[in-house]
Amino acid sequence: MMLMPARRASATAAPTSWSQLPHGEWLKEELSHALAPHCAKIFGYYLARVGHLSKSLEMPELRVRHQFSAAKTEGADIQTDLEYWPFAEGVLDGVMMIGQLEFERDPHQVLREISRSLIADGHLILAGFNPLSPATITGLWPSNMSKPPWSGRYFSKARINDWLSLLNFEIVGCGYVAPTMMIPKTASANFGLKHVSRFIPQVGAMYYVVARKREFPLTVVRNKQRAKPPVNALPLANRVKSPDVEPK
């Protein structure tokens, strides 16, 4: 199966609030509950919440002193281009990106910027919309194709893991959450998929990946030359007698 290039001509407007998504508040609670055990292990001084969905995700388990939001549109603490953002190299202890990568022009470049700004052993918390979920069928309806989240470009969790491994990230946690068809008129968000998700987790509308940036030092390994043993230490049979040179 041939994958389409991740980069495209232009970016798409990302959702600015959970209320834009069908059963958005339920999605937020499901994701927050799944990420809680992983966030409890993350601590530090600075954490960037990328995108408006990340900004409003309540994660009291995060033990990071200073948390701020970053997005391309107004309403964030820092308004910036995510492909070339203003953070120096190795200054962030963590980055959280929720439902944002699907709407970027060049997701590879966005991940490179995140990797550059993270310290060694810094954490990336990334969540996106699952292309294997039955909720993608709802997006085929003509009136939904131009609405988030279906207006974005979906990437599978396996593909995200491959990208992160190329950037020397170690996957410390991942999974699927929120099994739903994303039909706003249904009374139940699960719509009968809760029991199915116990056996087929891939029906979850969202996936999450928790990764840690690893840096391996490059140490030059030199080939040690074997020291020549002294002549006296050689066996008598191995000694070579120098020929006598007669003076001219």
Side-chain angles (χ1 to χ4, degrees):
M1 180 179 179
M2 185 175 180
L3 298 176
M4 295 181 62
R7 184 173 178 176
R8 51 185 177 179
S10 59
T12 308
T16 56
S17 68
W18 289 94
S19 60
Q20 284 184 270
L21 308 176
H23 303 289
E25 291 299 321
W26 176 81
L27 284 173
K28 183 171 69 172
E29 293 177 2
E30 289 285 301
L31 183 60
S32 177
H33 179 73
L35 291 177
H38 302 283
C39 290
K41 303 175 184 178
I42 301 175
F43 58 91
Y45 292 96
Y46 299 103
L47 181 138
R49 292 174 173 258
V50 183
H52 293 283
L53 298 185
S54 300
K55 177 184 177 181
S56 57
L57 187 67
E58 298 179 0
M59 295 303 305
E61 295 82 6
L62 275 173
R63 294 175 293 175
V64 181
R65 185 173 301 179
H66 304 287
Q67 301 183 31
F68 52 88
S69 59
K72 292 187 292 185
T73 55
E74 297 181 356
D77 298 325
I78 299 177
Q79 188 173 351
T80 179
D81 186 353
L82 299 183
E83 293 185 18
Y84 302 97
W85 61 2
F87 303 115
E89 182 177 353
V91 295
L92 299 177
D93 298 281
V95 174
M96 177 186 291
M97 176 181 285
I98 308 296
Q100 184 68 36
L101 199 63
E102 295 88 343
F103 305 92
E104 294 299 318
R105 183 186 67 90
D106 190 351
H108 290 160
Q109 175 61 20
V110 174
L111 291 178
R112 283 192 291 267
E113 284 290 275
I114 291 176
S115 176
R116 179 187 61 83
S117 62
L118 277 173
I119 64 171
D121 291 331
H123 285 81
L124 168 63
I125 306 168
L126 190 149
F129 299 99
N130 179 23
L132 305 178
S133 169
T136 56
I137 301 176
T138 309
L140 298 177
W141 192 257
S143 61
N144 290 336
M145 296 180 66
S146 59
K147 298 178 181 179
W150 303 287
S151 57
R153 171 78 185 281
Y154 284 20
F155 304 109
S156 66
K157 180 170 65 68
R159 193 174 183 183
I160 295 296
N161 289 347
D162 287 340
W163 292 351
L164 294 178
S165 65
L166 293 175
L167 294 172
N168 289 334
F169 277 92
E170 176 191 4
I171 309 300
V172 297
C174 60
Y176 297 93
V177 296
T180 177
M181 289 291 293
M182 283 193 174
I183 301 176
K185 294 183 179 180
T186 56
S188 174
N190 289 326
F191 199 66
L193 293 176
K194 183 176 181 180
H195 300 290
V196 178
S197 64
R198 296 177 181 177
F199 306 97
I200 309 176
Q202 291 79 3
V203 300
M206 300 188 73
Y207 66 86
Y208 68 89
V209 175
V210 182
R212 179 182 296 175
K213 180 182 176 181
R214 294 300 195 186
E215 290 187 356
F216 304 97
L218 299 178
T219 304
V220 178
V221 179
R222 302 182 183 276
N223 293 327
K224 295 182 179 180
Q225 296 183 356
R226 297 180 61 183
K228 295 181 178 179
V231 178
N232 295 336
L234 293 175
L236 185 61
N238 293 345
R239 298 181 186 179
V240 179
K241 185 177 180 181
S242 302
D244 295 333
V245 180
E246 299 180 358
K248 294 181 180 179

